[in-house]
Amino acid sequence: MWTAILVTLFAAGVIGAGMLQSRQRLKAWQNAVESCGLEILDTTSATSPHLRAWEGQGALEVRIETFGDKGQSTRIVVEAPGPPDFHRVTIRPQSTFELGREIEIGDGYLDLIFFIQGPEQLVFALLDAKTRRLLGDVHVKSRLEISSGEIRAVLANDAKVAEVLPLLLDLSKRLAPPIEVVRRLAENANQDPERGVRLQNLLLLIRELPNHPETAEALGKACSDAAPEIRLRAAREIGAEGRGVLLELAEGLQDDAVSAEAVSDLERELPFERTTAILDRALSGRHLRTARVCMEAIGRSGAASAVGVLAKVLETKYGELAPVAARALGETGSPAAEPPLIQALHRDQEDLQVAAASALGRVGSVAAVLPLKEMAGRFLLGEIRRAARQAIAEIQSRAQGASPGQLSLAGAETGQLSLTEAEAGQLSLAEDPVGQLSLGDDD
């Protein structure tokens, strides 16, 4: 009816094309506003139409207006009372250049499309699953921005007004008080469908509200979370009560990175046999991080069987695990680690040769000097040569001052033997030229 009247007036020349378009736009806005149960306060139907409406006698106000240089776009602005500090919350589409610290809430999609700033506790509390879904729905249909306490959506045409306005009203109600911030954070930490959001809310509680009762309750529930990384964080925080959870994570190998961290956390509490069992399963399943941490723990364990376990890994594994096994053998401090490490010097793997040389610097005897010197001689420059020379120097420093009759190193070039003026038939230190043998004066 209204459209027909406008068309008739336009045909009669009473109104121009611009005025006709403005009044048609305004009518579309009015229909959308009334369908949402809002009361229209005032309108302007000039070349730049404008509409203002409210709900609940001022509790919520809506403005719809033209936007852009030519006024072809439409902007909907919703003002509603928000919680304290809501005016400091900013949510806008990501752009190439952003200033200030951005909040990552743990929802991959929302973190990708929106730049979010504001008081962290309030932001995380507000952006629960329902609110994020509404934000995403509005984003698909318009350019959404929240700042200075207002929700604003810019649409390319008026056809979307009737679709977007109800979403904005729902969104404003999701952001309105009252809101119990800590309670909402705890609910998000335990109930949100996105594991990243659960984790970020839990970390926020741990970081900013460590002694709050809601945090303790949330941590207890998080120990049963489906996500291993969340169980890990919770178990760490609750101390002794979380040791069982850490053990399950270490042995479960559901997530390699998490299992590795759990083994590291439990290192001194894990019996040697249990660590070895985890290592075997990690090696079989190619859980490399966990295998690495287990080998390092075994190397520091002081167990008599440690060298045998690590030597087996060193003998059978290649790639990144072999150097780890070599370094762990050095950590044992056991002379029994020397033979497998000397064998490793002959493997054609540079990082392994470097690791083996370094480990021999810790546990090697004079028997390792010649193999190290031979290896250093094959390389004029590089890390292998440096590692070998350093290992020889460390072995030499331990061997200095040996008593007569003991095999040691001369004060000359490393790796060479000479005899002192001691009892005949004994090997010791001498001042003779490098590489020569000198005998003590027999009576």
Side-chain angles (χ1 to χ4, degrees):
M1 177 71 176
W2 175 251
T3 302
I5 293 173
L6 289 175
V7 171
T8 301
L9 292 173
F10 171 70
V14 175
I15 60 174
M19 182 65 72
L20 174 63
Q21 184 183 29
S22 295
R23 292 188 177 182
Q24 287 176 329
R25 293 181 74 180
L26 182 60
K27 184 58 180 175
W29 297 352
Q30 289 174 324
N31 291 337
V33 166
E34 289 171 351
S35 69
C36 291
L38 301 178
E39 179 184 350
I40 297 175
L41 297 176
D42 58 66
T43 62
T44 300
S45 59
T47 54
S48 297
H50 179 95
L51 180 150
R52 191 164 63 94
W54 69 4
E55 179 186 67
Q57 301 209 350
L60 179 149
E61 183 172 308
V62 174
R63 301 194 312 273
I64 306 179
E65 57 201 14
T66 58
F67 186 78
D69 293 340
K70 297 182 180 180
Q72 296 299 311
S73 300
T74 300
R75 180 168 66 180
I76 305 173
V77 181
V78 178
E79 292 185 53
D85 284 338
F86 180 61
H87 65 283
R88 296 172 56 197
V89 174
T90 296
I91 302 175
R92 62 173 180 269
Q94 288 278 7
S95 63
T96 305
F97 302 103
E98 296 288 1
L99 298 176
R101 177 176 173 272
E102 179 181 6
I103 296 176
E104 298 281 346
I105 62 171
D107 183 319
Y109 175 68
L110 220 67
D111 287 334
L112 178 66
I113 63 176
F114 287 117
F115 181 82
I116 304 172
Q117 291 181 312
E120 275 197 308
Q121 290 186 31
L122 178 59
V123 167
F124 277 96
L126 289 174
L127 297 185
D128 60 7
K130 292 181 179 179
T131 304
R132 297 197 312 274
R133 185 174 63 249
L134 283 169
L135 288 171
D137 290 345
V138 175
H139 171 77
V140 170
K141 302 174 187 296
S142 67
R143 187 185 189 280
L144 173 66
E145 180 173 340
I146 299 174
S147 64
S148 303
E150 292 184 344
I151 305 171
R152 297 184 286 273
V154 177
L155 298 81
N157 59 70
D158 295 315
K160 298 287 186 181
V161 171
E163 298 178 37
V164 173
L165 180 58
L167 296 175
L168 294 178
L169 296 177
D170 288 344
L171 182 58
S172 70
K173 291 171 184 175
R174 294 292 308 171
L175 300 175
I179 175 173
E180 297 181 47
V181 171
V182 183
R183 166 53 58 181
R184 185 78 69 84
L185 292 174
E187 290 174 353
N188 293 344
N190 295 141
Q191 300 173 17
D192 198 279
E194 291 285 340
R195 68 163 63 186
V197 175
R198 296 198 303 275
L199 178 60
Q200 292 303 319
N201 276 269
L202 187 68
L203 293 177
L204 180 63
L205 287 169
I206 292 170
R207 184 172 64 251
E208 298 195 5
L209 300 161
N211 300 317
H212 199 285
E214 294 281 4
T215 300
E217 183 179 350
L219 285 170
K221 293 179 180 178
C223 284
S224 302
D225 196 279
E229 66 269 32
I230 295 177
R231 299 202 301 275
L232 175 71
R233 289 288 186 173
R236 281 174 169 172
E237 292 300 319
I238 63 177
E241 296 177 9
R243 288 299 184 255
V245 176
L246 289 176
L247 184 58
E248 290 176 4
L249 291 169
E251 296 182 325
L253 293 172
Q254 182 180 353
D255 182 296
D256 188 22
V258 169
S259 292
E261 291 194 43
V263 171
S264 181
D265 290 343
L266 290 171
E267 177 178 335
R268 295 183 179 180
E269 301 173 35
L270 277 177
F272 176 80
E273 294 76 11
R274 211 154 190 173
T275 306
T276 303
I278 297 172
L279 172 61
D280 288 341
R281 293 185 56 222
L283 292 172
S284 298
R286 296 293 296 169
H287 299 287
L288 301 185
R289 292 187 182 183
T290 305
R292 176 188 295 269
V293 173
C294 285
M295 284 190 282
E296 291 169 350
I298 289 170
R300 292 188 291 264
S301 68
S305 303
V307 171
V309 172
L310 295 170
K312 182 179 179 181
V313 177
L314 182 60
E315 179 183 353
T316 59
K317 296 299 178 182
Y318 293 81
E320 64 181 272
L321 290 181
V324 178
R327 287 190 290 270
L329 280 168
E331 290 285 341
T332 64
S334 171
E338 184 179 52
L341 288 171
I342 292 176
Q343 288 297 318
L345 294 178
H346 302 291
R347 293 257 289 268
D348 187 17
Q349 183 179 338
E350 182 175 342
D351 58 347
L352 172 58
Q353 291 172 316
V354 171
S358 299
L360 283 169
R362 303 188 65 176
V363 300
S365 68
V366 174
V369 171
L370 184 58
L372 285 166
K373 186 175 181 183
E374 289 175 348
M375 187 178 74
R378 294 197 299 270
F379 299 90
L380 296 178
L381 298 171
E383 191 174 359
I384 293 179
R385 182 176 175 84
R386 287 193 296 271
R389 291 173 66 87
Q390 177 63 31
I392 292 171
E394 291 177 14
I395 294 171
Q396 182 179 24
S397 69
R398 290 198 300 274
Q400 291 291 349
S403 60
Q406 293 180 319
L407 183 62
S408 184
L409 297 176
E413 188 174 348
T414 306
Q416 296 178 331
L417 300 176
S418 61
L419 299 178
T420 187
E421 294 182 358
E423 295 182 13
Q426 294 180 329
L427 293 175
S428 184
L429 298 173
E431 300 296 331
D432 291 339
V434 174
Q436 295 181 340
L437 294 176
S438 64
L439 299 177
D441 293 333
D442 293 338
D443 293 333

